[in-house]
Amino acid sequence: MAGFIGLANILLATVESTEGVKVTVRFPAGGGTSADARGRTFSPREVVTVVLRPERLRIEASEPAGKAVGRIMATVKAVVFQGAITRVDLASAGGMGLTVLLLAQDSVELEERQQVWVTWEADGVTVLPVQVATATD
């Protein structure tokens, strides 16, 4: 059994489609992602858990033009400088909390209550059945 130590964003989503080894999901308040199913079987309309690594996320001021695998709109709640990194706490339109860890060179000017897009690539997301995610909590 593998364990996990560290910070992760855990969000609920609904499966939109599956194609080969890829699963595509949508978040309740908009946005979505595609991910490798990693040998798991998913069904359309199934509620799943999406795990996002905070160090793999990016923040953009405007909606990304198709270059990211996943995206969700969010509101900046707090920006905390922590030396080599900046921690950004956000809330999605649906109220789901998110944390993004930005390296100093990747930091962007942000203000509280600012609307932004959080984006990520395939290596920053894992989709799990809800039962698996709750069994390992």
Side-chain angles (χ1 to χ4, degrees):
M1 173 186 243
F4 177 78
I5 297 175
L7 180 64
N9 296 291
I10 300 175
L11 311 172
L12 291 178
T14 302
V15 174
E16 187 173 80
S17 64
T18 60
E19 184 178 323
V21 298
K22 185 171 90 171
V23 59
T24 300
V25 303
R26 292 283 163 230
F27 298 112
T33 191
S34 293
D36 185 328
R38 299 183 186 195
R40 295 180 179 92
T41 302
F42 296 99
S43 301
R45 296 182 301 284
E46 178 182 353
V47 175
V48 294
T49 300
V50 176
V51 181
L52 299 171
R53 300 290 306 146
E55 70 278 5
R56 301 271 190 210
L57 305 179
R58 292 180 306 280
I59 296 177
E60 301 187 34
S62 58
E63 184 172 9
K67 59 186 172 185
V69 166
R71 66 188 71 196
I72 191 169
M73 185 175 250
T75 302
V76 176
K77 295 296 181 189
V79 180
V80 182
F81 176 72
Q82 297 180 325
I85 63 167
T86 299
R87 177 185 169 130
V88 183
D89 293 320
L90 307 110
S92 74
M96 295 183 287
L98 289 163
T99 298
V100 177
L101 300 177
L102 300 171
L103 294 175
Q105 67 267 20
D106 298 330
S107 291
V108 293
E109 291 291 322
L110 297 169
E111 297 178 12
E112 288 185 24
R113 295 187 299 278
Q114 180 179 351
Q115 295 285 311
V116 297
W117 285 90
V118 178
T119 64
W120 55 89
E121 295 301 327
D123 63 350
V125 61
T126 301
V127 176
L128 299 170
V130 171
Q131 305 88 330
V132 171
T134 56
T136 59
D137 287 346

